């Protein structure tokens, strides 16, 4: 029995939250359809039907969505959980799925949602220009107090993994020697805050984290994907670059 | 073989995100230990050990955490997923777990995280008084544009469920006639925005949603818990009441 195709339902022309989903499918080496590639009009028909509830699935609030056979689901961490479980990228010990999901949710909270909210702290319905003062203030606070907390945390998690104090064997990944989809969730912040991340790298405090980041990008299937024209550029979406927000800690 | 006890690791004296976890355990009627009840000092020893990584589990970023036997996990939606799966509160059809997780994540995003961010739009490290102007502006925008989107969505989801167009049978719950832990995730917004929610109720546009809310509170085990002295009052934490934020849509 052939597995039905995996279909990503997301906007056309932006990596956004869909990128986390593309990365896990690329790492697993399974083919998938990216409905966003159909263009807005044609993709929009699927989007509208799926968001309304379709074929025994509840209505959903927002994209990204994943269709696999009769199942349609949304919510990025939920889609990663489903794929991680099917594609054997969620650890090796019993209940590791829940440890990996915990790590992935924390990465998506701190390095995706919090970064997004730096450019839209008041309302996502308003343009950045209409919340620019608040956005600059939030970005400054994020870089000063919150970003270091997140970087410290991931450095500690990788140190613990490298010492074998969690997971069955020591290794360079978040679950030790077993690569999981949580390892794919740490991208994007560099695009939004290049100065702060450059400062963090130069500080030498996050060696394992920056090594990890390079090691993920060097995995053969990920490297091949990143070099291909399937990889879209960060531009608008979750991760955006505004020079006014690109500050360093004092 | 007896199951080890479920242990919630969270702050003392605040319902906060721990409340979603208490509600599912109460609904399932299983005993649990609430380590926050030990008081800050004694609970703090467990918190520190578990956050650092303990007994084969990775370090975690923040509470709430759940300990069950050797497994320690964090992240509210992840803990609900684990408990929902074990306690049979995640639907009846194959893969319903992922549909329920999608709904729960959306509820926690829109009615918990976004509500939280109304009182802390700039930084969680700053007092409300130090981001009061931004908090009032965000609250106003939330009540005007975002809250109606969320309420509309849940009303649509419940309408779809009541018509049997998803899930095997029609019914009053988010998955039709099968009560799931997603039904327990819609609490708290009323405490933060009583005026806006009163206005929404009076509008008559969200009848199924307010019926659903009452129906959840009337379930025997939930009603008994809510009337007990185990139920803590909302005061500070995720859901806070600031009169200056308590606005209605124009």
């Amino acid at each position: 029995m052939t597995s039905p195709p995996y279909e990503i339902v997301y906007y056309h022309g932006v990596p956004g939250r869909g990128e986390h989903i593309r990365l896990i499918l690329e790492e697993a080496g399974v083919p998938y359809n990216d409905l966003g590639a159909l263009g807005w009009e044609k993709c929009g028909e699927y989007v509208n039907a799926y968001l309304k509830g379709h074929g025994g699935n509840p209505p959903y609030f927002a994209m990204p969505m994943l269709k696999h056979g009769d199942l349609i689901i949304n919510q990025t961490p939920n889609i990663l959980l489903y794929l991680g479980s099917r594609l054997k990228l969620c650890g090796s010990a019993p209940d590791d799925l829940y440890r990996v999901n915990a790590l992935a949710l924390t990465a998506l909270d701190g390095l995706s949602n919090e970064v997004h909210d730096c450019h839209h702290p008041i309302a996502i319905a308003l343009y950045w220009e209409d919340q620019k003062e608040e956005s600059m203030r939030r970005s400054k606070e994020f870089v000063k107090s919150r970003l270091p907390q997140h970087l410290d945390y991931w450095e500690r998690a990788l140190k613990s993994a490298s010492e074998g104090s969690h997971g069955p064997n020591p290794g360079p990944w978040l679950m030790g020697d077993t690569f999981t989809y949580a390892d794919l969730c740490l991208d994007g912040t560099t695009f939004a805050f290049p100065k702060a991340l450059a400062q963090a790298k130069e500080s030498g405090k996050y060696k394992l984290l920056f090594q990890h980041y390079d090691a993920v990008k060097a995995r053969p299937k990920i490297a091949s994907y990143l070099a291909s024209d399937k990889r879209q550029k960060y531009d608008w979406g979750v991760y955006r670059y505004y020079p006014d927000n690109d500050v360093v800690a004092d």
Side-chain angles (χ1 to χ4, degrees), chain A residues 8-249:
Chain A
I8 301 176
V9 187
Y10 198 58
Y11 302 102
H12 175 68
V14 55
R17 293 194 165 90
E19 195 63 8
H20 300 292
I21 303 164
R22 289 183 204 99
L23 286 173
I24 188 173
L25 289 161
E26 293 287 344
E27 170 64 30
V30 295
Y32 60 95
N33 299 327
D34 208 329
L35 295 193
L38 298 173
W40 184 246
E41 205 171 333
K42 200 147 174 49
C43 176
E45 294 168 26
Y46 292 103
V47 169
N48 288 335
Y50 295 173
L51 283 178
K52 274 183 193 158
H54 181 87
N57 297 282
Y60 292 119
F61 186 71
M63 295 182 281
M65 293 181 285
L66 180 84
K67 185 175 189 302
H68 187 222
D70 293 335
L71 180 69
I72 299 171
I73 52 176
N74 83 334
Q75 282 280 352
T76 309
N78 186 46
I79 294 170
L80 297 181
L81 181 84
Y82 176 76
L83 292 173
S85 173
R86 290 189 64 93
L87 304 174
K88 314 252 179 290
L89 283 168
C90 59
S92 49
D95 288 328
D96 264 0
L97 173 64
Y98 298 99
R99 296 182 179 97
V100 172
N101 188 37
L103 295 168
L105 281 161
T106 303
L108 294 173
D109 271 357
L111 302 176
S112 178
N113 298 337
E114 288 190 28
V115 173
H116 169 276
D117 290 352
C118 284
H119 57 72
H120 278 73
I122 300 298
I124 59 162
L126 297 174
Y127 290 112
W128 176 77
E129 287 76 8
D130 295 327
Q131 52 195 309
K132 179 177 164 179
E133 292 306 315
E134 294 94 337
S135 176
M136 287 167 64
R137 187 174 178 214
R138 181 169 167 131
S139 297
K140 201 175 157 190
E141 292 292 334
F142 179 78
V143 164
K144 187 175 79 176
S145 65
R146 195 72 177 159
L147 182 60
Q149 284 177 14
H150 290 304
L151 298 177
D152 284 345
Y153 168 67
W154 295 109
E155 185 72 12
R156 281 193 291 118
L158 288 165
K159 185 159 188 291
S160 172
S162 75
E163 290 167 352
S165 49
H166 62 85
N169 300 300
W173 311 115
L174 287 166
M175 294 299 288
D177 66 346
T178 307
F179 185 86
T180 71
Y181 73 87
D183 292 301
L184 294 167
C185 295
L186 302 179
D187 190 25
T189 309
T190 303
F191 178 76
F193 295 110
K195 287 184 187 166
L197 271 289
Q199 188 187 41
K201 192 167 186 173
E202 282 158 25
S203 77
K205 288 196 281 185
Y206 311 109
K207 280 189 184 161
L208 293 174
L209 179 57
F210 284 101
Q211 275 172 23
H212 173 273
Y213 185 60
D214 290 338
V216 172
K217 287 193 292 187
R219 290 179 72 85
K221 286 175 184 151
I222 296 294
S224 160
Y225 167 68
L226 293 178
S228 77
D229 57 9
K230 287 164 77 182
R231 168 74 166 187
Q232 302 170 76
K233 293 217 180 328
Y234 288 122
D235 181 3
W236 62 275
V238 179
Y239 302 111
R240 306 187 191 188
Y241 179 69
Y242 293 106
D244 286 323
N245 286 2
D246 183 19
V247 293
V248 294

